[in-house]
Amino acid sequence: MHTIDYVPLDAEAVRAGIKLVSTATPADLSRPTPCRAWTLYGLLAHMATQHYGFAAASRGESDPAVWKLRDLGDDPVKAYVESAEHVLDAFAEPGVADRTFPLVEFGADFPGGQAISFHFIDYVVHSWDVAKSLGTTVAFAPATLEAAQAVAQVVPTGEVRLAPGTPFAPDVAWSGDDPLDRIVAHLGRDPRWPN
């Protein structure tokens, strides 16, 4: 059975985010985002926290403190880029997809490949969020979008999306042809945001 190697796919998504975030100015940090009530600063703090959490999980660490929302300090863009580089380094370790990841935030252990797929879909969508917040766009290779679509389709829909703390809002009806728009709509974003 062929299994997808999510490490390079995840790296593409994370690097797309780094490229976008690196263009942000201090004034941009208060911009709204498609992520519920988060400003760009709030989104970056969440994303950085997740990077450190997943990196720790890749090493078998299960300290809940790692998942506590981080303060990005005096240079939020630099702090975010450092967090992204940290998770890229962690996932580049040999055999990482064969490890067990204790994902404290999810309350369970997951096979490494599956855990990396969770991180991957988050950063495809969060890169889109950042691009929208900054008034620009993000593009991914067709194979990356195909893999992201497959992961997105596994995310449960329905009432579970209404529960407090759920990572994705209810899916948005969307019939457009753009694959990234279809992915973000399935995961609760309106591709027309901010309209």
Side-chain angles (χ1 to χ4, degrees):
M1 177 177 155
H2 174 71
T3 56
I4 295 173
D5 181 0
Y6 288 103
V7 172
L9 296 168
D10 181 79
E12 181 187 348
V14 172
R15 287 190 182 108
I18 290 172
K19 187 175 178 182
L20 288 161
V21 172
S22 295
T23 70
T25 66
D28 289 329
L29 297 174
S30 60
R31 285 176 176 252
T33 73
C35 292
R36 300 181 183 176
W38 284 341
T39 61
L40 182 58
Y41 176 90
L43 175 58
L44 296 183
H46 162 76
M47 292 166 67
T49 300
Q50 294 285 308
H51 285 326
Y52 285 113
F54 271 86
S58 78
R59 298 186 292 268
E61 297 170 17
S62 58
D63 181 355
V66 176
W67 297 87
K68 186 177 178 204
L69 190 65
R70 289 177 174 257
D71 183 319
L72 299 180
D74 295 333
D75 191 342
V77 168
K78 181 181 178 194
Y80 174 76
V81 171
E82 287 172 354
S83 76
E85 290 172 345
H86 181 77
V87 80
L88 288 172
D89 289 345
F91 284 3
E93 289 287 321
V96 69
D98 300 321
R99 301 176 190 169
T100 297
F101 283 45
L103 295 179
V104 174
E105 195 173 64
F106 295 79
D109 292 352
F110 292 89
Q114 185 180 17
I116 294 167
S117 80
F118 299 163
H119 190 266
F120 161 61
I121 193 62
D122 261 2
Y123 287 86
V124 167
V125 175
H126 284 326
S127 292
W128 180 89
D129 292 329
V130 171
K132 282 286 189 178
S133 181
L134 293 172
T136 187
T137 58
V138 64
F140 295 102
T144 303
L145 290 173
E146 185 179 340
Q149 180 69 47
V151 175
Q153 291 304 315
V154 178
V155 177
T157 57
E159 289 194 14
V160 68
R161 297 270 190 100
L162 299 173
T166 186
F168 298 108
D171 52 315
V172 173
W174 189 255
S175 58
D177 293 331
D178 183 85
L180 184 54
D181 284 349
R182 286 200 307 270
I183 291 164
V184 300
H186 181 74
L187 297 176
R189 270 71 161 172
D190 187 337
R192 294 161 294 205
W193 190 93
N195 297 332

